[in-house]
Amino acid sequence: MKKIIPLLAFSTLLVGCTNQYESNNIEKDQMESHKVNDVHSYADFNKANTTHIFLDLVADFEQKTLSGMAAHTIQNNNASEIVFDTKELDISKVVTNDAGGEVNFSVGEEDEFKGAPLTVAITPKTTRVEIYYSTNPSSEAVQWLSPQQTADKTHPFLFTQGEAILTRSWIPNQDSPGNKITYSARIKVPDSLTAVMSANTTVAKNGVFEFEMKQPIPSYLIALAIGKLEYKSLGARSGVYAEPSMMKACYQEFEELEAMIDAAENLYGPYAWEQYDVIVLPPSFPFGGMENPRLTFATPTIIAGDKSLTSLIAHELAHSWSGNLATNATWDDFWLNEGFTVYFERRIAEALYGRDYSEMLALLGFQDLTHTLEDLPAEDTRLKLDLEGRSPDDGMSDIAYEKGYFMLRMIEENVGREKFDSFLKTYFEFFKFKNLTTEVFLEYIHDELPATQTMNLKEWIYKPGLPENCPVIVSDKFSNVDEVRESKRFVQTPSLTRDWTTHEWLHFIRGIDTSWNLEAFTTADGLFDFTNSTNAEIAAAWFEKSIRANYEPAYESLEAFLIKVGRRKFLTPLYRAMIETDKKSMAKNIYKKARPNYHFVSTNTMDELLGYSQ
Ligand code: BES
Ligand code: ZN
């Protein structure tokens, strides 16, 4: 058994613990007085903080607005005002319980990243603040899709994306990951559409859907999707939502979902959120996946037909522990969410598909990390970030994911797997429904696993680049791919590749270098038809190489891909490759056609990349 943590020492560093989930005998006021400052939020939750939000909203697809009320239940430390984050919201009135009617409020100036503070006059007696408002049609969190932009093309669609600081553009709230809240909601939608949220559905009739999230979560995990949706159960506590025409493919792709949950629980303890569903969204969804509790939001680009891209679901599922239970206190600590999740994702993959498989994932990850280390300015290659005055989006690179992964793996290799697994189990249990900073993590691990005190964790965390004790990954499968590619033996004997998995193909394509002339591209494409691959990862990797080599036969498919798919991870390298190879006008022409299909998260990045202005 683990020894008991020295609670008092930790209590000065713990942050953001709320309501019924307070545990571990930590004195409440001690904790409350040490909430961490979040430079990306205007809220001062030491004075007054939300503990519960009730949303009562109408979704109007004609006006492209969500309008109604957000009622905040607050914990009030004798405050005379409470501050919320907002972004381009239209606020009509604010009502409090003790005033029994409207109270004074003011909205400050809009900051490019943070939006505007909403300051509401309250008294020490205020426990409920109702904010009446409407979203802006261009709300950054919300994408309103026309029927044409969906799979079925019959009904409109809406989805929200909260992480990192976009929730404030559809809900006025204290938008810091360090303040955990419960929420409930009542959402009215047009006839024949279904609303789903990152919560339990309690009522669903006549176009009104009611939800409840009983466990405390950070506000970036509040999420809503509305569309013509079907649901199919995949097991005792899992299932999939999709548009009707997508259902069969999605259902088959996620057949192993229940087994994934079991594998995850076997590793690091019980799944805390009762139900685990996945919704497959239209292709404009800007991420691969988003770990909204109880309901992962996913891109349709993982539906490859052979389950080969479902490690992405393992990743989002793993966030049910890392991120959703133990949450980064600020966006400077983002690696705590993603590094742990990548580690956990690969352990799930290993449990289900074996070590060879998970080592391929790790080596692809290492390749990504190497490129990121080359591309980013040194100061952005630290695990602990300093994002003051910047968009948190700037910190969301492979450093958090892969450098974070490799540090944890280094620890695993040094202390041994058994000890590390038991550490992680205790860690998730200790920090569940709480927040932590990188500093708390360091103190905690040095205490729990004293051997880590000599492993240079501070260098990993506070210094740029990759420390010397970074593990080295060897994959026999990838060495074989290298040999087949370099010797060009695949030309004479294409059957050498017969049993290759998606990840071997990705390694094959990534390894194509400038020694490949157009003839080599034509030969490989003739044999393997990469240009028309229905596997989005393979297609995207091939398109990037094609752009760099001016292999024109791929351009038509490339353009169709960029117009359809809005996943930023694919867009950035493709547009960048065009720019870097003197094809900026091609990039701009495609972007002009594609941009209306992209979510704000993607247009925001691509506008900057392409110097686009409306
Ligand atoms: N939480 C992230 C997505 C995210 C990160 C949204 C930062 C907003 C800001 C999610 O869990 C994620 O990491 N998605 C990856 C998938 C992956 C690494 C397997 C993605 O979307 O590609
Ligand atoms: Zn993630």
Side-chain angles (χ1 to χ4, degrees), residues 402-590:
E402 298 296 345
K403 189 177 173 185
Y405 166 79
F406 278 98
M407 182 176 88
L408 295 173
R409 174 156 172 162
M410 179 278 291
I411 299 171
E412 179 217 300
E413 290 185 359
N414 280 292
V415 300
R417 185 169 267 195
E418 207 177 315
K419 267 198 178 156
F420 192 57
D421 279 355
S422 117
F423 163 79
L424 283 179
K425 227 174 170 166
T426 315
Y427 167 85
F428 291 130
E429 180 60 31
F430 186 78
F431 289 104
K432 79 173 173 204
F433 303 118
K434 297 200 188 73
N435 293 92
L436 73 161
T437 59
T438 302
E439 289 63 37
V440 171
F441 162 78
L442 256 182
E443 188 170 338
Y444 182 84
I445 196 166
H446 279 162
D447 227 76
E448 282 287 284
L449 291 174
T452 59
Q453 290 168 18
T454 55
M455 289 178 197
N456 286 344
L457 300 195
K458 286 194 174 151
E459 186 190 343
W460 278 87
I461 288 169
Y462 297 111
K463 295 263 162 69
L466 206 53
E468 279 204 334
N469 61 350
C470 183
V472 177
I473 315 270
V474 191
S475 159
D476 293 342
K477 290 203 180 282
F478 279 7
S479 305
N480 173 56
V481 170
D482 288 331
E483 192 279 318
V484 170
R485 184 194 331 95
E486 295 319 303
S487 66
K488 297 257 170 15
R489 286 202 295 136
F490 64 90
V491 179
Q492 253 64 56
T493 328
S495 62
L496 286 171
T497 67
R498 196 169 36 211
D499 298 326
W500 282 8
T501 60
T502 292
H503 302 99
E504 283 157 297
W505 282 117
L506 284 175
H507 184 66
F508 179 86
I509 295 169
R510 285 183 178 199
I512 293 173
D513 61 17
T514 47
S515 72
W516 277 52
N517 56 21
L518 287 176
E519 202 189 319
F521 272 81
T522 311
T523 306
D525 210 11
L527 287 168
F528 307 121
D529 203 15
F530 295 131
T531 293
N532 298 306
S533 174
T534 51
N535 182 308
E537 293 278 354
I538 291 177
W542 175 250
F543 291 147
E544 187 185 345
K545 294 293 178 185
S546 299
I547 295 166
R548 295 195 183 277
N550 296 314
Y551 175 64
E552 292 180 8
Y555 290 0
E556 204 182 308
S557 297
L558 162 72
E559 178 167 332
F561 182 89
L562 286 171
I563 289 173
K564 185 169 173 205
V565 175
R567 185 175 169 190
R568 185 170 64 178
K569 179 189 133 180
F570 293 144
L571 307 187
T572 307
L574 294 176
Y575 283 110
R576 182 177 291 145
M578 287 186 254
I579 294 169
E580 287 174 359
T581 54
D582 294 326
K583 291 189 275 285
K584 194 159 183 179
S585 64
M586 171 175 163
K588 284 192 158 171
N589 282 336
I590 298 177

Side-chain angles (χ1 to χ4, degrees), residues 237 257-271 313-314 317-321 344-345 347-349 351-352 425 428:
R237 51 181 168 171
L257 201 52
E258 201 73 32
M260 262 185 200
I261 305 171
D262 292 342
E265 285 192 314
N266 276 337
L267 284 163
Y268 302 126
Y271 178 72
I313 297 297
L317 170 67
H319 272 303
S320 306
W321 287 257
F344 195 164
E345 162 205 336
R347 291 296 304 275
I348 296 172
L352 289 177
K425 227 174 170 166
F428 291 130

